[in-house]
Amino acid sequence: MKLLRGGTLIDGTGAAPVRDATITTRDGRIESVTTGAGAWPADAEVVDVSGMTVLPGLIDCHDHLGSHSYDLAHRLRLDEPASTRALRTARAIEGTLAMGYTAVRDAGGLDAGFRVAVDEGLIRGPRLVTAVSIISPLGGIGDSMSPSGHECVVLDPSLPHGVANGVEEVRRVVRAMIRAGADVIKCATTGGASSRAGHGPKDPAFDPDEMRALVDESHTLGRRVMCHALGGRGLRVALEAGVDSIEHGCYLDGEPDLIALMAERGAFLVPTLTVYEYHRRSPRPHVRERAHALYAHHVESIQRAMAAGVRVVAGTDAGGHGHPPNAAELEHLVAAGLTPIQAIRAATGLAAECLGLAQEIGTIEKGKRADLVVVAGDPLADIRLLQDARRIRRVMKDGEMVREA
Ligand SMILES: [Zn+2]
């Protein structure tokens, strides 16, 4: 039995912080949450966390742990041996856990072997929910065509090719992802900021029949659908087909009926502000231009979605821009108008709902998995504390202390 006493508890439900909390864990789960002094069993391993804040382990709903650069050769997997890349990915996974992230949903490029490696204890890392590869039609963001027109497909059976055209092929490729170990299906119905010139944020991909087939096949096989969609017709096609989350959603602000549809259906919005901050400084002019054009709309989209009751959750879209502290997204969410407690909930309780893991993780409540992070100071006074490695004093996953600083 482990016991954390004296800290301020932010439980991840959105409730106000509770001072002088005592949290006990046993066999990997939270056994009790109480306040004030009390008696505890003689066998308890007591940790005094006075002056610190205890939060649920943080969750990133949109990461790319297997990506490390937007450089073309890297994206086409030509720049280094697969083994070097795998070890680089393992390092990113370990580093993410060390910063208090105990669960990550990977939005493409991470093969299911990394989840197995974490589950078997070969490496330390967050719980991984992985999409394996992005599904799109020819010319969409799942198509790794080079600007010279060459189709550069590195044949790796652990990362099946995500291009699918037509209803039959869409169903086949969804099945191929699940066969390769996908926990969630990632698709794309628009271009993005960093996609090739000519396939931008409002340019559609997939027709309504294809998307309905994709969602139907995924749900039939018990997988949620996370859909990259920034704006325009593709955003509408995705939502009307019934996807479970909209990734980015930058131009939602112009679609009040779609915001209402998201609220009604319980679809999540995963804004990923961190990546657009990065793209505004991109060396590629068309990427920079798109990122500047969408930013104000993105912030407005978040505010309107929140006001309509849509669950907005935190995702960084890290990987292409390296693996800086994932909690940068919380700083951006606060700048976009969320309160610090809302931003924390977006990366804990609500994020667990987005991953379909709310029964197990996301809040500090009796019976949940003991995934916690202990931070020196008050992140409600300064949300940036969560990005400071010196402040992340302890990280617990499944009741085991995986970081003690
Ligand atoms: Zn992404």
Side-chain angles (χ1 to χ4, degrees):
M1 178 191 206
K2 292 192 182 72
L3 186 148
L4 300 178
R5 58 173 292 274
T8 297
L9 170 69
I10 296 175
D11 68 6
T13 65
V18 173
R19 300 202 190 286
D20 197 14
T22 302
I23 300 140
T24 62
T25 71
R26 192 188 289 274
D27 300 330
R29 290 189 185 268
I30 295 164
E31 190 173 70
S32 68
V33 182
T34 54
T35 51
W40 45 78
D43 68 331
E45 186 187 317
V46 180
V47 181
D48 188 340
V49 293
S50 305
M52 304 195 202
T53 306
V54 184
L55 305 119
L58 298 166
I59 301 170
D60 191 330
C61 295
H62 188 130
D63 200 338
H64 296 276
L65 287 160
S67 302
H68 309 286
S69 165
Y70 281 112
D71 181 69
L72 183 67
H74 182 78
R75 283 191 284 145
L76 299 179
R77 297 177 176 268
L78 302 172
D79 63 333
E80 61 184 355
S83 52
T84 311
R85 186 173 179 131
L87 289 164
R88 201 179 297 290
T89 298
R91 177 69 63 88
I93 289 171
E94 288 172 341
T96 302
L97 177 67
M99 287 300 287
Y101 276 75
T102 53
V104 170
R105 184 169 73 161
D106 195 275
L110 187 77
D111 78 63
F114 289 97
R115 184 192 62 224
V116 175
V118 170
D119 290 349
E120 287 191 7
L122 295 174
I123 55 170
R124 276 184 167 177
R127 301 168 194 290
L128 296 174
V129 172
T130 183
V132 179
S133 302
I134 300 170
I135 304 177
S136 85
L138 200 74
I141 67 163
D143 183 357
S144 51
M145 188 198 72
S146 77
S148 59
H150 289 90
E151 284 196 45
C152 298
V153 180
V154 176
L155 294 173
D156 178 350
S158 62
L159 286 169
H161 195 35
V163 172
N165 297 290
V167 165
E168 289 307 309
E169 209 172 290
V170 162
R171 290 191 186 270
R172 188 190 69 76
V173 172
V174 168
R175 290 171 188 168
M177 288 309 156
I178 293 171
R179 183 177 64 182
D183 306 297
V184 60
I185 295 300
K186 167 75 182 294
C187 62
T189 57
T190 74
S194 68
S195 51
R196 66 180 166 82
H199 188 52
K202 292 183 178 176
D203 294 321
F206 278 139
D207 65 30
D209 286 342
E210 289 171 315
M211 272 309 289
R212 277 193 293 268
L214 185 148
V215 172
D216 179 62
E217 192 65 36
S218 305
H219 287 174
T220 299
L221 297 174
R223 303 301 192 280
R224 293 188 177 198
V225 178
M226 58 188 301
C227 183
H228 164 115
L230 276 68
R233 178 180 145 81
L235 178 61
R236 181 166 297 276
V237 166
L239 280 166
E240 289 179 352
V243 302
D244 301 284
S245 64
I246 290 292
E247 310 296 309
H248 320 301
C250 310
Y251 290 102
L252 253 182
D253 62 335
E255 317 280 355
D257 65 316
L258 293 183
I259 294 175
L261 187 65
M262 288 181 79
E264 182 196 317
R265 295 226 182 119
F268 294 83
L269 175 62
V270 190
T272 72
L273 291 160
T274 307
V275 76
Y276 297 111
E277 193 75 41
Y278 173 83
H279 285 322
R280 285 195 286 179
R281 303 188 304 273
S282 171
R284 291 184 292 161
H286 76 277
V287 175
R288 234 174 19 240
E289 195 180 305
R290 288 168 178 172
H292 278 285
L294 65 78
Y295 210 78
H297 289 283
H298 202 11
V299 169
E300 184 71 24
S301 296
I302 293 166
Q303 291 176 354
R304 291 196 187 180
M306 294 279 295
V310 174
R311 290 173 288 181
V312 174
V313 297
T316 53
D317 207 7
H321 59 90
H323 299 280
N326 302 63
E329 187 67 17
L330 277 61
E331 181 184 354
H332 297 313
L333 285 169
V334 169
L338 274 70
T339 65
I341 204 97
Q342 284 174 326
I344 288 169
R345 189 178 178 215
T348 55
L350 289 182
E353 291 178 24
C354 180
L355 270 53
L357 295 175
Q359 298 298 317
E360 292 281 21
I361 60 171
T363 59
I364 298 181
E365 293 175 294
K366 181 175 160 53
K368 292 277 178 87
R369 294 250 162 222
D371 288 4
L372 318 167
V373 51
V374 178
V375 186
D378 178 9
L380 299 182
D382 183 0
I383 197 75
R384 292 173 303 176
L385 298 186
L386 296 171
Q387 298 172 56
D388 183 349
R390 293 163 303 180
R391 298 273 188 168
I392 309 294
R393 294 296 171 80
R394 289 172 189 273
V395 179
M396 182 189 278
K397 182 186 164 204
D398 270 332
E400 186 199 346
M401 244 5 136
V402 291
R403 176 186 179 122
E404 288 179 74

